[in-house]
Amino acid sequence: MPLVAAAVCPHPPLLVPELAGAAAPELDELRAACHAAVADLLAAEPEQILLVGGGPETTRFGTADYGSLHRYGLDRYVRFWKTNCAGGDRLPLSLTIGAWLLGCQDTGRPRFAESVAVDATVAECTTLGEELARRADPRTALLVLGDGSACRSTSAPGYEDPRAQAYDEGVAAALTDADRAALLDLDPDLSAQLLAAGRAPWQVLAAAVEASGGTWRGRLHHQCVPYGVAYFVAGWHRVDDPDEVVA
């Protein structure tokens, strides 16, 4: 059975309200959009969920591995799925936030996690995406974690870069249209210069969907630029009847 759906969410640690503290209301709309995108993903009735996010290297994680928010000021571990002595504190931030989002709504479905190196080449992202598509059995949904540029204001982590807005507008359009080619065309060098952590995960998504075939519909649930960083929330769904696709 091919892939049936995908959701794209950002992964700022401040999505976790307890970590954000008094600043939590500032991201309420983004947080609600992420939860809605995950709910929409689960509504496709996948039998398993695969999380994909950026990390220091391309790695497959165990179902008992977990993530930590300690370095961000919250004394909490985030369980991925199973709990046993084989697991370790190994998940990068992207997958830790993905596990938190999924854990807010779903605790029983099998889930798996893969990180892709943030500096992976387009060819490497494509190869990983194609491999994930081949492993999409039984019904599989992807939860893809990635941020846009971090150069949208003078207070942004990467300061202000005049190229960032056009870059983010291109990503938003590609996610809206489920445009795999546009995502695969993202330039790794420019993405790195703009600190766009989502480039590699989005390209894995594009390659996985392309390899799985079929007709796909995209929807951009939300986009915003708090703290000078671009965040996107989107959903992609396979449609059996091409006439269902909307522009």
Side-chain angles (χ1 to χ4, degrees):
M1 176 66 70
L3 296 176
V4 295
V8 173
C9 292
H11 53 74
L14 291 181
L15 275 181
V16 181
E18 297 91 332
L19 195 155
E26 297 177 15
L27 294 183
D28 274 350
E29 191 173 353
L30 174 63
R31 196 175 292 114
C34 289
H35 289 315
V38 173
D40 197 34
L41 185 76
L42 298 176
E45 300 183 342
E47 296 175 65
Q48 63 180 15
I49 301 169
L50 175 59
L51 279 68
V52 178
E57 59 184 0
T58 299
T59 305
R60 184 183 304 183
F61 294 92
T63 56
D65 287 330
Y66 53 91
S68 170
L69 295 172
H70 290 78
R71 74 192 68 176
Y72 304 101
L74 183 64
D75 187 17
R76 177 185 297 183
Y77 290 105
V78 178
R79 185 171 70 95
F80 177 54
W81 181 31
K82 296 182 178 180
T83 302
N84 61 49
C85 61
D89 181 4
R90 301 180 60 222
L91 298 183
L93 174 64
S94 61
L95 296 177
T96 298
I97 296 300
W100 176 79
L101 284 170
L102 194 56
C104 288
Q105 301 187 49
D106 181 88
T107 57
R109 246 168 286 221
R111 61 192 68 169
F112 305 92
E114 299 259 356
S115 67
V116 56
V118 293
D119 59 354
T121 66
V122 177
E124 290 168 339
C125 294
T126 299
T127 297
L128 178 58
E130 292 171 346
E131 177 190 339
L132 298 184
R134 288 193 295 270
R135 287 162 41 197
D137 184 19
R139 289 172 61 91
T140 302
L142 295 179
L143 176 55
V144 180
L145 291 308
D147 299 345
S149 76
C151 300
R152 293 291 297 274
S153 73
T154 55
S155 60
Y159 200 67
E160 188 172 22
D161 190 309
R163 302 170 295 175
Q165 182 172 349
Y167 179 95
D168 292 327
E169 289 174 351
V171 172
L175 293 176
T176 300
D177 297 335
D179 189 340
R180 285 88 83 184
L183 291 179
L184 289 170
D185 280 343
L186 291 174
D187 178 44
D189 290 335
L190 175 61
S191 301
Q193 293 166 22
L194 297 178
L195 305 182
R199 189 274 307 175
W202 298 330
Q203 291 183 329
V204 172
L205 163 66
V209 168
E210 187 68 20
S212 72
T215 302
W216 287 73
R217 177 178 60 209
R219 177 187 175 191
L220 187 66
H221 293 276
H222 183 72
Q223 66 180 115
C224 59
V225 192
Y227 318 120
V229 182
Y231 298 136
F232 311 98
V233 183
W236 288 12
H237 286 266
R238 179 186 294 274
V239 290
D240 295 326
D241 181 358
D243 292 335
E244 294 180 27
V245 179
V246 294

